[in-house]
Amino acid sequence: MEHEIPPIDPDADEDGPGAITSKAGDDLSSAEGQQLGENVTGDDAILDLAELEQLQEEAERMKGLGNRHMSKQEYTRAYNAYSAALQLSPVGPSSHVFLSNRAASLLSLKRYSAAAVDARRAVALAPTFGKAHARLGQALYFLKQYAGAVEAYEDALKFEEEDGQSSSSNNAVT
């Protein structure tokens, strides 16, 4: 049995049944409103930017928490903290670091397939981030995919040399 979705009445009162809200129950943001043909003011854009900056700051805080858990060898807690950072900033300026660090926690938990997925996603977001390549290499090694592991390690070395990173910092979380 199919459920019919009622159409949205664009002329409905904002608080009425036709109002469009987010999952949290908030009215649409100005960017979403612009997609619907509404005008967006500079103040709205500044508010949206401020919200994004707050989310990024919280994501960085969660990354720091994950790093502390990693240093205490609390790998599941580290994984959860990095996951929270990714939920807050899935494609932000540090998302590749969150993914790479989460891959490190997964490697420590011996979840090599999941670590390879996160490392590949980090490489896709930041192709010159050497640590992501190194973590991919480690995951592929444990998955007995030796040719891929060698290629990933070679990329890691190439990009670390370009960035001036030392190879001894390879396993440290960022």
Side-chain angles (χ1 to χ4, degrees), residues 128-162:
T128 61
F129 186 54
K131 283 186 181 182
H133 289 279
R135 289 174 180 149
L136 176 59
Q138 187 176 3
L140 294 175
Y141 172 83
F142 283 112
L143 292 170
K144 300 185 185 329
Q145 297 177 20
Y146 301 118
V150 168
E151 184 179 339
Y153 279 130
E154 287 173 346
D155 287 341
L157 288 172
K158 177 175 75 173
F159 294 124
E160 285 182 0
E161 288 172 5
E162 289 175 7

Side-chain angles (χ1 to χ4, degrees), residues 46-165:
I46 290 170
L47 288 175
D48 286 346
L49 180 59
E51 289 173 14
L52 288 173
E53 288 172 348
Q54 287 177 338
L55 288 173
Q56 183 62 32
E57 287 174 15
E58 182 64 15
E60 291 290 339
R61 192 181 74 72
M62 294 309 297
K63 180 190 87 167
L65 180 63
N67 291 353
R68 286 191 294 280
H69 286 305
M70 285 294 287
S71 69
K72 295 177 186 176
Q73 298 180 350
E74 298 170 339
Y75 304 122
T76 300
R77 288 181 175 179
Y79 171 85
N80 290 334
Y82 297 135
S83 294
L86 282 163
Q87 286 181 332
L88 291 163
S89 182
V91 289
S94 300
S95 297
H96 65 288
V97 175
F98 306 154
L99 282 162
S100 180
N101 286 2
R102 190 168 77 171
S105 68
L106 288 164
L107 287 166
S108 297
L109 292 167
K110 299 181 179 177
R111 294 182 53 203
Y112 304 122
S113 291
V117 169
D118 274 1
R120 282 188 175 107
R121 288 178 61 202
V123 166
L125 289 175
T128 61
F129 186 54
K131 283 186 181 182
H133 289 279
R135 289 174 180 149
L136 176 59
Q138 187 176 3
L140 294 175
Y141 172 83
F142 283 112
L143 292 170
K144 300 185 185 329
Q145 297 177 20
Y146 301 118
V150 168
E151 184 179 339
Y153 279 130
E154 287 173 346
D155 287 341
L157 288 172
K158 177 175 75 173
F159 294 124
E160 285 182 0
E161 288 172 5
E162 289 175 7
D163 289 344
Q165 299 174 356

Side-chain angles (χ1 to χ4, degrees), residues 18-61:
I20 302 172
T21 57
S22 69
K23 289 180 182 176
D26 299 327
D27 287 337
L28 285 174
S29 71
S30 59
E32 293 164 319
Q34 185 177 24
Q35 291 175 349
L36 296 174
E38 296 175 13
N39 291 329
V40 177
T41 67
D43 291 339
D44 291 335
I46 290 170
L47 288 175
D48 286 346
L49 180 59
E51 289 173 14
L52 288 173
E53 288 172 348
Q54 287 177 338
L55 288 173
Q56 183 62 32
E57 287 174 15
E58 182 64 15
E60 291 290 339
R61 192 181 74 72

Side-chain angles (χ1 to χ4, degrees), residues 8-21 25-28:
I8 298 171
D9 180 4
D11 297 322
D13 184 356
E14 278 191 30
D15 295 326
I20 302 172
T21 57
D26 299 327
D27 287 337
L28 285 174

